[in-house]
Amino acid sequence: MTETAAETAGGRRSDRTRAAILTAARERFAADGYERATIRAIAADATIDPAMVMRYFGNKEKLFAAAAEFDLRLPDLSALPREELGAALTSHFLDRWEGDESLKALLRASVTNEVAADRMRELFAAQLGPMIAKLSASTASAASSATAGGANTVDAASSVDVATRAGLVATQALGFALCRYVLALPPVANLSREEAVAWLGPTITRYLTGTPSTGTRQANTS
Amino acid sequence: MTETAAETAGGRRSDRTRAAILTAARERFAADGYERATIRAIAADATIDPAMVMRYFGNKEKLFAAAAEFDLRLPDLSALPREELGAALTSHFLDRWEGDESLKALLRASVTNEVAADRMRELFAAQLGPMIAKLSASTASAASSATAGGANTVDAASSVDVATRAGLVATQALGFALCRYVLALPPVANLSREEAVAWLGPTITRYLTGTPSTGTRQANTS
DNA sequence: GTCTATAATTCGATAGAC
DNA sequence: GTCTATCGAATTATAGAC
């Protein structure tokens, strides 16, 4: 995919141009969504010619795919006590949301663009899922000797499968991002970082660990 | 179609046409979002001429405003014990989401259309907020005599204000709708109705009642 | 009330000069 | 590599015949 041109000095400017396009594209996609973000407007933001965008990225979909490519950069939470898992992950999500416009662009676009929706699905299945599985494995290693003769399932920490837990985390994380950054619901947008962590933390903890009912009682869910 | 002889009442056919347009508009807006849903496609679904849509509703924005007008129809939960509040409201939300396409249309459109976003904000501020306030009032009526000389604030049930609680409920409710109906994340879309209520219920209860920490301890939210 | 024709924009994408 | 010019398609919206 890298440039085959062997020009030593010429290749550097094209990289700068390419980066400028991507930055402008992320901002436009984040602010306007996929269809309302036009190549013309992106080019104008990057102060280049619209035709250059086509030359560099081929078409609009490939430009979006390049602009929305990113990593959740999930931290390793294996060492934390169970009660702090949600707060730590929530805090990390807040950092990622506010430091990088890619996620906002992806969220806005994924509502109407199928490519973006695919990437969003992959994000939680391929990145959050394994992190939860790793979490369960480290917890299970201590408990496995006690439960001994149980099923040979990988995650003994909870009967709820990893994908479901990742999906539940997604509902709260994406819902918060939607209300705070996209819809800008005043009470949600005005929450301080500490308040947000305090509210979402216990919820995310419960979903991460696969605990259906709240602390006090083991409820039957009929 | 062109039955002129059997006109029993005056403007009845125009009402039918109007209703057919609105139904088709709701489906298209829900499936494609605001910009990708075209008047042409809506008219085709309603098997009428595109020009008629303009004649009945003026322009696309007014058509959307008419199509996305609806009521959350929130039930009165005052009589329920606190622990069941979230499950009851979650169950009600599931009914509304699956029975009426307006909410999906509004959610999809509100991501890129400012009119739709305004309506979404109003929805939670003007409908969910008062319901929570009423909930707090009924709870406070029993406790007010005990706390006696306290502040004359309306909701003595929690120190968290009503708008914040409504916003928090919105993050979980809309996030679930986004993941289940719009993004179609497999683990979320595959949850049974009972599972969804069991997972979201405790979360919604905690937000509704304004309880920052999970059951065991009364944490300070500083 | 209904439909045809079309105006007026806007957008993604291409061709080709320099 | 860069930019001008433009094509072809799609859209909202209007004007006017029947």
Side-chain angles (χ1 to χ4, degrees):
Chain A
M1 293 300 179
T2 58
E3 69 276 27
T4 58
E7 302 172 11
T8 55
R12 185 153 303 179
R13 182 163 66 180
S14 61
D15 283 351
R16 275 209 312 272
T17 303
R18 192 184 170 88
I21 295 173
L22 282 178
T23 300
R26 269 187 275 266
E27 291 173 359
R28 279 289 176 179
F29 283 128
D32 300 336
Y34 183 80
E35 15 267 336
R36 297 191 57 178
T38 66
I39 289 182
R40 283 169 158 83
I42 292 169
D45 286 356
T47 57
I48 57 145
D49 193 274
M52 294 305 297
V53 179
M54 305 302 296
R55 182 173 177 84
Y56 275 81
F57 295 95
N59 59 30
K60 189 178 179 180
E61 262 199 0
K62 291 178 185 172
L63 170 62
F64 174 80
E69 190 162 3
F70 69 100
D71 198 314
L72 276 180
R73 294 178 169 273
L74 293 172
D76 183 15
L77 304 177
S78 306
L80 269 63
R82 291 171 69 91
E83 310 84 44
E84 298 177 13
L85 287 176
L89 187 59
T90 303
S91 185
H92 174 78
F93 275 146
L94 284 173
D95 286 340
R96 285 297 279 153
W97 276 101
E98 263 141 42
D100 191 345
E101 214 133 20
S102 306
L103 259 160
K104 204 196 299 185
L106 184 57
L107 177 57
R108 263 220 163 87
S110 62
V111 171
T112 50
N113 183 265
E114 197 53 35
V115 176
D118 257 329
R119 189 159 300 207
M120 189 70 96
R121 281 187 283 267
E122 186 196 340
L123 201 70
F124 284 87
Q127 294 191 34
L128 190 58
M131 190 272 266
I132 296 177
K134 189 176 170 187
L135 219 59
S136 301
S138 70
T139 307
S141 63
S144 60
S145 55
T147 54
N152 57 357
T153 173
V154 184
D155 56 320
S158 169
S159 61
V160 186
D161 78 336
V162 169
T164 300
R165 285 187 260 169
L168 288 167
V169 171
T171 67
Q172 179 61 96
L174 291 183
F176 180 79
L178 177 74
C179 292
R180 186 177 176 96
Y181 304 108
V182 176
L183 298 181
L185 293 185
V188 180
N190 291 336
L191 284 178
S192 72
R193 191 197 155 83
E194 290 75 21
E195 289 170 327
V197 172
W199 281 109
L200 298 195
T203 300
I204 302 288
T205 292
R206 197 162 60 83
Y207 295 162
L208 273 178
T209 58
T211 312
S213 68
T214 182
T216 52
R217 281 180 57 92
Q218 299 278 19
N220 51 348
T221 330
S222 68
Chain B
M1 288 202 200
T2 58
E3 297 175 356
T4 55
E7 52 177 1
T8 53
R12 184 153 304 181
R13 182 161 65 177
S14 61
D15 283 352
R16 274 208 315 271
T17 304
R18 192 184 168 88
I21 293 173
L22 282 178
T23 299
R26 270 186 274 266
E27 291 174 358
R28 280 289 175 178
F29 282 129
D32 299 338
Y34 183 78
E35 16 268 336
R36 297 191 57 179
T38 68
I39 290 182
R40 283 168 157 82
I42 292 169
D45 286 355
T47 58
I48 58 147
D49 192 273
M52 294 304 298
V53 179
M54 306 301 297
R55 180 174 178 85
Y56 275 82
F57 294 95
N59 58 30
K60 189 178 178 179
E61 262 200 359
K62 291 178 184 171
L63 170 62
F64 174 79
E69 193 161 0
F70 71 98
D71 198 314
L72 276 179
R73 296 177 169 273
L74 293 171
D76 183 15
L77 305 177
S78 306
L80 270 61
R82 292 171 68 90
E83 311 83 43
E84 297 177 14
L85 287 177
L89 187 58
T90 303
S91 184
H92 173 76
F93 276 144
L94 283 172
D95 286 340
R96 285 298 279 154
W97 277 101
E98 262 142 42
D100 190 345
E101 215 132 23
S102 307
L103 260 161
K104 205 196 299 185
L106 184 57
L107 176 58
R108 262 219 164 87
S110 62
V111 171
T112 50
N113 184 265
E114 197 53 33
V115 175
D118 258 328
R119 188 157 301 205
M120 189 69 97
R121 281 188 283 267
E122 185 195 342
L123 200 71
F124 284 87
Q127 295 191 33
L128 189 59
M131 189 272 263
I132 296 177
K134 189 177 171 187
L135 218 59
S136 301
S138 71
T139 307
S141 64
S144 60
S145 55
T147 55
N152 58 356
T153 173
V154 183
D155 54 320
S158 169
S159 61
V160 186
D161 78 337
V162 169
T164 299
R165 284 186 260 170
L168 288 167
V169 171
T171 67
Q172 179 61 95
L174 293 182
F176 181 78
L178 176 74
C179 291
R180 186 178 176 96
Y181 303 109
V182 176
L183 297 181
L185 293 184
V188 179
N190 291 335
L191 284 177
S192 74
R193 191 196 156 84
E194 290 75 18
E195 289 171 325
V197 172
W199 281 109
L200 298 195
T203 299
I204 302 287
T205 293
R206 198 160 60 83
Y207 295 162
L208 272 179
T209 57
T211 311
S213 68
T214 180
T216 51
R217 282 178 59 90
Q218 299 278 16
N220 51 349
T221 326
S222 69

